[in-house]
């Protein structure tokens, strides 16, 4: 026999996702740890980021609002045609230069960007800086 409270419990569990968050560099310093379990309402990367950024003030380190903020300056010129397949998130959903958001070790651009569906136990890495040069 199913009770109303067990139905409510299952509905509540279906509305949240728990992920393992790994933080590096400046993100680690701001969050205060390199690893934590984080539960949020929803099941998309966008919902995770909105919830996480509301709790931890690291959005400006990671997310670029404009194309100019997402572009590194001083690199070699880009050829007119790039070889292979290139994926890029739309403006407003890109990371800053040298910052990345990864899901289970892969850049979110290789999935569905901020619309990527997350499951309990997924690993989300918030990386800044992504690369360090002397």
């Amino acid at each position: 026999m199913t009770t109303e409270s067990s139905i409510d419990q299952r509905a509540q569990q279906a509305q949240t996702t728990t992920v393992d968050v790994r933080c590096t560099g400046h993100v680690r310093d701001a969050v205060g740890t390199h690893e934590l379990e984080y539960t949020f309402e929803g099941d998309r990367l966008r919902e995770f980021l909105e919830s996480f950024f509301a709790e931890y003030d690291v959005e400006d380190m990671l997310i670029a609002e404009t194309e100019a903020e997402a572009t590194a300056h001083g690199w070699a010129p880009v050829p007119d045609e790039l070889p292979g397949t290139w994926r890029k998130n739309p403006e407003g959903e890109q990371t800053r230069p040298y910052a990345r958001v990864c899901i289970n070790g892969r850049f979110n651009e290789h999935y569905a960007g901020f619309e990527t569906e997350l499951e309990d136990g997924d690993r989300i890495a918030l990386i800044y800086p992504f690369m360090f040069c002397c």
Side-chain angles (χ1 to χ4, degrees):
M1 180 170 165
T2 305
T3 66
E4 189 173 317
S5 65
S6 66
I7 293 171
D8 288 343
Q9 255 184 343
R10 278 187 271 149
Q12 192 173 38
Q13 288 173 347
Q15 294 174 0
T16 62
T17 305
T18 301
V19 296
D20 293 321
V21 181
R22 310 287 166 87
C23 305
T24 68
H26 300 300
V27 178
R28 176 185 178 164
D29 292 343
V31 171
T33 186
H34 73 283
E35 184 176 5
L36 66 138
E37 190 174 83
Y38 191 81
T39 301
F40 64 97
E41 290 185 20
D43 67 352
R44 304 224 180 253
L45 180 60
R46 175 183 316 282
E47 295 160 331
F48 161 76
L49 291 171
E50 288 171 358
S51 177
F52 194 84
F53 294 156
E55 190 166 338
Y56 298 98
D57 188 23
V58 295
E59 181 175 9
D60 288 342
M61 282 185 216
L62 295 165
I63 306 301
E65 293 294 322
T66 65
E67 188 71 34
E69 290 178 354
T71 304
H73 301 285
W75 291 92
V78 178
D80 291 334
E81 289 191 37
L82 298 171
T85 301
W86 294 82
R87 293 184 179 111
K88 188 172 187 178
N89 288 336
E91 188 171 15
E93 296 185 12
Q94 299 173 17
T95 55
R96 292 186 174 276
Y98 314 111
R100 287 290 182 266
V101 175
C102 295
I103 303 164
N104 297 323
R106 294 185 65 195
F107 297 151
N108 73 75
E109 294 94 334
H110 296 293
Y111 293 106
F114 285 9
E115 292 305 315
T116 302
E117 289 185 33
L118 301 175
E119 297 178 0
D120 286 333
D122 279 348
R123 288 184 332 270
I124 307 300
L126 304 175
I127 305 168
Y128 178 70
F130 171 67
M131 170 169 48
F132 178 78
C133 296
C134 302

